[in-house]
Amino acid sequence: MPGSFARVVQRRTRPRHARSGRRRGRLHRRVLAYRDVRIVHSLAPADRAHSLLLVYTRRVVGRLTYEVCEQCASGVITEVDVAAPLKDSGLGTRAVSHLRACYPDITWHSRLTRRMSRGLAHRMRLPHTSTAQLCSHAPPR
């Protein structure tokens, strides 16, 4: 009888080769996105556009391209692209929030066309604009 009690007490509660202290899946990607990904401002290849680069250990994992007109106090987000492994991590939301914090007096619109990007614009309450020009006084491209 005492031997069976010792076996019950010593029974393993988790598998022998389980990794301890490791996050997995969606939560891990979200924590990684908010902790380790830096946002860097840069110029986009287009003429007037600017870009936010999402950088993880010297590798670009995402990009948000936007145009701003200070005179009209309006801005347009033209493209949001996040690498496939970090797609559902909240990086797009973080980039748009960062952009709104950098330009607090600007009214933002979106020109996003892809399905995932349109979902982000809908969640962030960015009205869609289909006009090619940013504002009336901007020079044409």
Side-chain angles (χ1 to χ4, degrees):
M1 198 74 152
S4 64
F5 179 73
R7 272 187 251 131
V8 171
V9 171
Q10 293 177 359
R11 180 176 285 165
R12 295 184 192 282
T13 58
R14 62 187 188 99
R16 230 179 242 193
H17 302 291
R19 294 181 182 178
S20 62
R22 183 175 176 191
R23 292 186 189 99
R24 297 173 189 227
R26 194 173 193 176
L27 175 64
H28 174 67
R29 286 192 305 270
R30 187 167 291 272
V31 168
L32 177 79
Y34 279 84
R35 184 187 63 195
D36 296 337
V37 174
R38 293 182 304 129
I39 297 177
V40 179
H41 293 263
S42 87
L43 291 175
D47 298 333
R48 295 173 308 179
H50 298 282
S51 173
L52 290 179
L53 299 177
L54 306 168
V55 180
Y56 175 68
T57 62
R58 298 185 315 173
R59 186 177 64 186
V60 176
V61 294
R63 176 185 313 253
L64 182 138
T65 308
Y66 64 97
E67 299 175 14
V68 177
C69 178
E70 299 280 341
Q71 294 173 354
C72 292
S74 65
V76 177
I77 297 174
T78 57
E79 182 184 0
V80 177
D81 185 34
V82 178
L86 296 171
K87 201 61 104 172
D88 291 335
S89 64
L91 274 179
T93 303
R94 181 177 173 206
V96 172
S97 298
H98 179 82
L99 199 59
R100 283 182 169 168
C102 288
Y103 298 98
D105 299 331
I106 301 291
T107 304
W108 290 100
H109 301 282
S110 76
R111 229 186 271 152
L112 304 173
T113 56
R114 294 192 316 215
R115 186 173 61 99
M116 296 295 281
S117 301
R118 283 192 319 249
L120 171 68
H122 180 71
R123 283 191 309 275
M124 296 299 291
R125 297 176 191 250
L126 296 169
H128 182 74
T129 181
S130 60
T131 60
Q133 268 188 314
L134 173 63
C135 56
S136 60
H137 66 272
R141 290 185 170 189

